[in-house]
Amino acid sequence: QSIAKRSLKFLSWNIQAPSTVEGNKFDIHCFQNTIFGHDFACLQEIRKEVHLIGYRSFCNIRKEGKSGGVGILVKNELIEGIEIINNSNNLDYLVCKLKKSFFRLNN
């Protein structure tokens, strides 16, 4: 299975923690809309597991320290076209590999 060839949109964002005085950022429409405009959202300083309707989340959370944590949100319709590479020895990053056949990528 593959998807129609199109441009993919990626977002990288240091969200500086998911909570604000307004509440959980993932419940705030302007925050959601920024992410909804992208196929992949690579988030830094998430501090806890993150979830957003329409996306699958992959997170690495540091157990110690006051900051940290990274996550990748991937649109549900693209899940079968990615592979998360296991790097359980280092929680500072995540690796998401795109499958060539699914995304119709050239060599």
Side-chain angles (χ1 to χ4, degrees), residues 45-69:
E45 303 295 336
I46 59 174
R47 297 187 185 156
K48 63 181 183 178
E49 295 283 327
V50 296
H51 302 282
L52 190 61
I53 292 173
Y55 289 81
R56 170 93 184 269
S57 67
F58 303 91
C59 301
N60 276 349
I61 309 298
R62 289 187 194 145
K63 302 293 184 219
E64 298 176 13
K66 63 180 181 177
S67 66

Side-chain angles (χ1 to χ4, degrees), residues 60 83-91 93-97:
N60 276 349
E83 177 184 355
I84 299 296
I85 307 299
N86 183 356
N87 67 328
S88 57
N89 294 331
N90 189 335
L91 298 178
Y93 66 91
L94 283 165
V95 177
C96 177
K97 181 180 177 181

Side-chain angles (χ1 to χ4, degrees), residues 3 9-13 17 55 57 64 71 91-92 95-96 98:
I3 63 167
K9 293 184 179 182
F10 292 81
L11 170 71
S12 177
W13 192 357
Y55 289 81
S57 67
E64 298 176 13
L91 298 178
D92 291 335
V95 177
C96 177
L98 303 181

Side-chain angles (χ1 to χ4, degrees), residues 2-11 35-41 54-55 73-82 98-106:
S2 66
I3 63 167
K5 194 164 187 171
R6 65 177 176 88
S7 295
L8 295 173
K9 293 184 179 182
F10 292 81
L11 170 71
I35 293 175
F36 287 154
H38 298 85
D39 299 304
F40 297 86
Y55 289 81
L73 297 175
V74 181
K75 278 193 175 176
N76 287 336
E77 64 262 22
L78 302 177
I79 289 298
E80 64 183 89
I82 64 135
L98 303 181
K99 296 178 182 175
K100 281 197 298 189
S101 59
F102 183 84
F103 289 101
R104 299 182 181 182
L105 300 172
N106 297 330

